[in-house]
Amino acid sequence: QNSIILLAFLKLYEKSKEVSVKELEEEVAKNENFHKNFQSNFTPMSEIYDNNHGKVFEEYYKGEQEMVKLWSNTEKIVLAAYKDYKEK
């Protein structure tokens, strides 16, 4: 489920370097293989907890709109891996 969220984000990110959480949630909902609650999967991807798979995103506000971006500590690695993924 997390890979669906990450790939949806990267798809949106390619089109526009700014992605809102709402846009991401809507994009994820289009995937028929996503069967979980968006927030229950997205939140652990933007925080560090004792038993989550790892932080990938940072959330911030642009005016009133909640936005999402790749966490600066993982951004280069994730974008490089996505480039390799698309080339396969």
Side-chain angles (χ1 to χ4, degrees):
Q1 301 297 303
N2 292 355
S3 62
I4 293 171
I5 293 173
L6 181 58
L7 290 171
F9 170 83
L10 292 166
K11 178 182 172 185
L12 293 169
Y13 181 81
E14 281 184 312
K15 294 177 187 173
S16 169
K17 299 297 182 202
E18 292 193 312
V19 178
S20 73
V21 174
K22 181 179 180 184
E23 287 174 308
L24 179 56
E25 186 171 7
E26 289 170 355
E27 187 66 29
V28 167
K30 294 176 187 176
N31 189 314
E32 62 187 33
N33 294 315
F34 191 79
H35 302 293
K36 305 252 179 164
N37 177 285
F38 174 80
Q39 281 299 330
S40 69
N41 283 273
F42 174 73
T43 299
M45 296 177 75
S46 53
E47 298 291 334
I48 296 176
Y49 296 112
D50 288 338
N51 60 349
N52 73 347
H53 296 293
K55 180 175 177 164
V56 179
F57 297 121
E58 288 183 80
E59 294 176 79
Y60 66 100
Y61 282 90
K62 184 176 181 181
E64 297 284 319
Q65 194 168 27
E66 188 177 12
M67 306 295 288
V68 60
K69 63 182 179 178
L70 290 171
W71 185 32
S72 59
N73 291 356
T74 61
E75 181 177 17
K76 287 181 183 176
I77 295 167
V78 170
L79 292 176
Y82 183 57
K83 181 181 176 189
D84 289 345
Y85 168 80
K86 286 187 349 178
E87 291 174 355
K88 290 181 180 179

